[in-house]
């Protein structure tokens, strides 16, 4: 989670170097970003579930300071896309191409 929250200009050639194709690299980053976002959402929902109320009356719903702090913490975190790009550029994402593996196994058979 070392990704910064500021806007960064990225060199598209460096992004495409890993796979040899910029669009494949972006697809890999996109899939990893969705995984990160899903994990963060599950974690946040788990923490906020403790504060869930079964009462639907607006009069009985009160402001919970702890719940607000948890929400603010997740809002300040780096975006999943920035985290995924950082992981990809550092070589921390494992990826493979299923079609290439199937082709190689067919040729070896």
């Amino acid at each position: 989670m070392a990704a910064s929250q500021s806007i960064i200009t990225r060199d598209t050639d460096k992004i495409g170097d890993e796979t040899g194709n910029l669009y494949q690299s972006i697809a890999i980053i996109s899939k990893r970003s969705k995984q990160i976002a899903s994990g963060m959402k599950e974690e946040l929902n788990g923490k906020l579930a403790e504060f869930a109320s079964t009462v639907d009356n607006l009069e009985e719903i009160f402001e919970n300071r702890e719940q607000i702090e948890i929400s603010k913490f997740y809002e300040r975190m780096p975006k999943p896309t920035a985290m995924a790009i950082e992981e990809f550029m550092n070589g921390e994402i494992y990826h493979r191409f299923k079609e290439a593996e199937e082709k190689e196994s067919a040729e070896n058979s």
Side-chain angles (χ1 to χ4, degrees):
M1 287 200 237
S4 66
Q5 294 182 9
S6 62
I7 296 174
I8 299 172
T9 303
R10 304 279 182 182
D11 184 4
T12 55
D13 291 335
K14 287 183 181 177
I15 293 173
D17 284 346
E18 180 75 24
T19 61
N21 186 330
L22 175 63
Y23 300 105
Q24 287 178 341
S25 296
I26 290 172
I28 292 166
I29 291 168
S30 172
K31 288 179 183 182
R32 178 61 182 143
S33 176
K34 288 178 184 177
Q35 290 174 344
I36 293 170
S38 175
M40 288 172 65
K41 186 175 181 178
E42 284 180 25
E43 187 178 325
L44 174 62
N45 287 339
K47 289 181 179 182
L48 293 179
E50 299 171 11
F51 304 105
S53 174
T54 57
V55 179
D56 289 337
N57 281 342
L58 288 176
E59 298 155 359
E60 295 185 24
I61 295 176
F62 58 93
E63 194 175 282
N64 189 328
R65 185 57 89 202
E66 213 175 323
Q67 183 179 6
I68 292 170
E69 289 301 317
I70 291 171
S71 296
K72 284 183 179 180
F73 171 77
Y74 278 91
E75 287 175 6
R76 287 188 303 264
M77 287 181 70
K79 302 297 179 216
T81 306
M83 294 168 66
I85 291 171
E86 194 74 29
E87 288 179 6
F88 186 79
M89 297 303 286
N90 291 336
E92 298 171 6
I93 297 177
Y94 170 76
H95 63 277
R96 62 188 172 90
F97 299 106
K98 187 176 179 182
E99 297 85 22
E101 288 180 358
E102 290 174 354
K103 190 176 183 180
E104 285 180 16
S105 65
E107 290 175 357
N108 292 336
S109 298

